[in-house]
Amino acid sequence: MIMMTTIFYPGCLRQRRRNRVTTKLSFFAFCSSIILFAVSVKSFQTIRKHNVHKTATPIIPTPPAIASRSRALRSLPPALETLVNDTLNSDRKIVVVTGGVLSGIGKGVTASSIGVLFRAMNYRVTALKIDPYLNVDAGTMSPFEHGEVFVLDDGGETDLDLGNYERFLSVSLTKDSNLSTGKIYQSVIERERIGEYLGKTVQVVPHISDAIQEWVLKVAETPVSRFSKQKVENKDVDHQEEDEELPPEVCIVELGGTLGDIESMPFVEALRQLQENLGYKNICFVHVSLVPELGSPPEQKNQTDAAFSEANDANGIASRFPLLSWK
């Protein structure tokens, strides 16, 4: 009995000491949690009191996308901000068609075909052609370099692509439906001459880019008259005449030239800003590119398309619908 007590006594002593240490740690952890809870409650009450009595703003944080968009809208000029809000309120969509590798790849036919698909779904469609050249219009350009001039009903001398738009969409466009670098620069310089910019230094960003966005949104909300008076399903002639007075629901914008050209960079930047102002659900980009066939036997090469995709991502333009053409 004495031997058993002597043997087991040290083990019992260690067990009691371990229980005491565990009890002390548990008590310390409990007290620490109570203190942290009290401090957090006090901090929350202080922040809530500060927000209610001074700023009166909710404590829920604003998502980064909404915050950046609201900051962008607050920094816009009043005229552009009004156009952006009208576009958002009317749920109007904008489709931008761009081209890569080379010009004359079929952007005009692609834009017209997309407009036909929208019109087949009974949407009101309009179109805008952007030409990066410095000429004010196509009236003074040589037909050997740029093709024949298409004259609109209001006397505007424009690019031949507007003839495709009118034939495909059966609408009557105006001279504002053709925008060039010379035309937008002329508009901004005239504003500067009359002092509209209040003595500010007129620059490509933001003045030229804002003017391009205003032009696009104005054309997108301007009603266009239809040529055809044929009956459409669930619509008669009277309803078509009423639709001519309503603003379009979809605007097809074709950016002429080739992405990567220096002369088209102001328009690319303006469209990127417009994408931020309107949101990704209200504007999309369609990129038409070339897949050349080289070698013998012919082999399709897509390295150029990959390079243009990287360039578009670097410029902030994400083409959701790439269209590839090969010969």
Side-chain angles (χ1 to χ4, degrees), residues 36-262:
L36 291 176
F37 179 77
V39 171
S40 60
V41 171
K42 185 65 176 179
S43 302
F44 179 81
Q45 292 177 351
T46 304
I47 295 174
R48 184 176 182 182
K49 183 178 180 181
H50 176 75
N51 289 335
V52 169
H53 293 284
K54 293 188 177 181
T55 60
T57 56
I59 304 175
I60 301 175
T62 305
I66 299 177
S68 61
R69 183 178 171 189
S70 62
R71 287 195 299 269
L73 286 177
R74 285 196 298 267
S75 63
L76 294 179
L80 179 57
E81 185 175 357
T82 301
L83 291 171
V84 169
N85 291 331
D86 292 343
T87 303
L88 295 177
N89 294 333
S90 60
D91 198 22
R92 189 175 299 112
K93 309 300 181 182
I94 296 178
V95 180
V96 181
V97 180
T98 61
V101 181
L102 49 84
S103 60
I105 199 172
K107 299 186 298 297
V109 176
T110 301
S112 303
S113 302
I114 294 174
V116 169
L117 295 178
F118 280 114
R119 194 188 170 204
M121 294 183 287
N122 292 334
Y123 286 104
R124 298 184 297 273
V125 185
T126 187
L128 170 65
K129 172 64 184 298
I130 297 178
D131 289 311
Y133 49 69
L134 287 174
N135 302 72
V136 176
D137 56 30
T140 58
M141 300 179 66
S142 172
F144 295 100
E145 295 183 3
H146 198 68
E148 293 292 336
V149 177
F150 187 80
V151 182
L152 301 175
D153 290 342
D154 60 355
E157 298 175 339
T158 62
D159 188 82
L160 275 176
D161 284 325
L162 271 76
N164 292 331
Y165 300 158
E166 289 194 346
R167 285 189 290 269
F168 275 68
L169 305 178
S170 297
V171 295
S172 178
L173 302 176
T174 63
K175 59 183 178 181
D176 291 336
S177 299
N178 189 196
L179 177 61
S180 66
T181 301
K183 189 177 292 186
I184 198 67
Y185 271 81
Q186 185 182 44
S187 173
V188 172
I189 291 174
E190 289 177 354
R191 294 183 186 180
E192 188 273 334
R193 288 291 84 191
I194 63 177
E196 185 172 335
Y197 296 108
L198 302 176
K200 295 182 179 179
T201 302
V202 181
Q203 298 176 318
V204 176
V205 179
H207 301 98
I208 295 294
S209 59
D210 288 347
I212 295 173
Q213 295 180 68
E214 291 180 11
W215 195 294
V216 172
L217 296 180
K218 285 180 180 178
V219 172
E221 70 176 10
T222 302
V224 291
S225 58
R226 290 190 177 183
F227 285 146
S228 62
K229 298 296 183 183
Q230 59 184 357
K231 292 184 179 181
V232 186
E233 185 179 358
N234 298 329
K235 286 189 176 183
D236 53 15
V237 178
D238 295 335
H239 288 172
Q240 287 189 2
E241 293 179 355
E242 293 177 359
D243 290 345
E244 293 180 359
E245 300 178 357
L246 298 176
E249 297 171 307
V250 180
C251 179
I252 311 295
V253 180
E254 177 190 350
L255 178 59
T258 306
L259 284 183
D261 293 341
I262 296 177

Side-chain angles (χ1 to χ4, degrees), residues 284-299:
C284 71
F285 290 84
V286 179
H287 184 68
V288 184
S289 185
L290 175 67
V291 179
E293 293 183 353
L294 304 176
S296 180
E299 182 181 0

